[in-house]
Amino acid sequence: MSIADHFQQISDAGFVRKYDPNSARRQFSASIMLIVAIALAASALCVLVKFDQSTTVASAPEVVTPYYAGALQR
């Protein structure tokens, strides 16, 4: 808010929240577990997907001309 809206000299509310150390520790451990899970998923993808190997090239399919393509008749 702008200072024009609060021009009285009123003290701030001060410390209004109390953080529980146990809940902060639980949140931190949950965050670490999520990071580990994402790292494991990325590692599994790196192991399963082979980017370095070339793919086997299958022979090109035989070209089939459509039935409407043909020689023009006069």
Side-chain angles (χ1 to χ4, degrees):
M1 295 189 162
S2 69
I3 199 165
D5 294 336
H6 297 102
F7 52 88
Q8 293 95 2
Q9 295 293 327
I10 299 173
S11 63
D12 290 336
F15 188 68
V16 294
R17 289 193 176 119
K18 181 179 176 187
Y19 294 104
D20 184 26
N22 290 330
S23 64
R25 191 175 299 116
R26 264 195 323 270
Q27 179 66 41
F28 179 71
S29 63
S31 298
I32 294 295
M33 292 305 289
L34 285 173
I35 290 171
V36 168
I38 290 172
L40 286 174
S43 300
L45 281 175
C46 288
V47 168
L48 293 176
V49 177
K50 304 290 184 186
F51 290 111
D52 296 335
Q53 295 177 353
S54 63
T55 58
T56 57
V57 178
S59 61
E62 185 179 325
V63 177
V64 178
T65 57
Y67 69 93
Y68 57 83
L72 293 175
Q73 297 177 358
R74 290 193 154 171

